[in-house]
Amino acid sequence: QAYFRKRYLTDLSRSRPAVFIDAVAAGAFIWFWQGTEKHETFPELANFIDANYTLCKSIQIEPDGAPVRIYLLKQRAEKLRSLSAGAESPANPASSVR
């Protein structure tokens, strides 16, 4: 398990995908996920996600279950915020078009 965790973290660090989804949630897929299988149970992965991603959306599938969580790469989130701010600016004529 240690080998595959290290390899996964190395691949994730190199590729830095725009989105990270933790779908370990009740009702996700046809599987009975346990709380012990969330990404936080892999400390190095949890640290990497905390340092590089921001929680974008939580989707509750089962009323009493853990949600599916969607994280966005922090650089991508910042870029989207700046684009949104520019689109809402009065100086941007496109912002008045609805």
Side-chain angles (χ1 to χ4, degrees), residues 30-72:
I30 302 176
W31 189 261
F32 299 101
W33 295 107
Q34 303 296 318
T36 58
E37 298 167 312
K38 296 178 182 180
H39 80 269
E40 290 90 350
T41 62
F42 175 8
E44 295 86 355
L45 177 59
N47 291 338
F48 180 82
I49 297 302
D50 286 344
N52 297 286
Y53 290 81
T54 186
L55 180 62
C56 179
K57 182 89 173 167
S58 288
I59 303 167
Q60 195 75 36
I61 298 172
E62 297 282 331
D64 296 327
V68 171
R69 295 171 296 161
I70 302 170
Y71 295 84
L72 188 59

